[in-house]
Amino acid sequence: MPFKAGDKVRIVSCEDDPRAAGRTGRIVDEVPPGPLTGGRWTVNGISWLIGPVLVHTHELRPA
C-alpha cells in the first residue's frame, strides 16, 4: 500500500520500538523508503514519550 507524507497510520507492530505497536502516527517521508532507512517509513507524532520510529509497510495500516 503506497503511503505519502502526512498520512495517518496505525502501527500494527514495530521492530524499531515495540512501544509504538497499537498506536497511531503520521508518515513523515516525502518519498517512498529506500536503502537509507532499510525500506522503512518514518512515523512521528506517536506519543510524547516515543520519538519517530522506522516501520516496514507490512507493519502499517491506514488509520
Side-chain angles (χ1 to χ4, degrees), residues 20-53:
R23 298 178 183 260
T24 58
R26 294 204 180 268
I27 298 287
V28 174
D29 306 295
E30 295 287 336
V31 296
L36 183 63
T37 62
R40 297 175 291 176
W41 296 94
T42 306
V43 181
N44 197 9
I46 301 162
S47 164
W48 66 277
L49 292 172
I50 303 172
V53 294

Side-chain angles (χ1 to χ4, degrees), residues 3 5 21 35 39:
F3 295 105

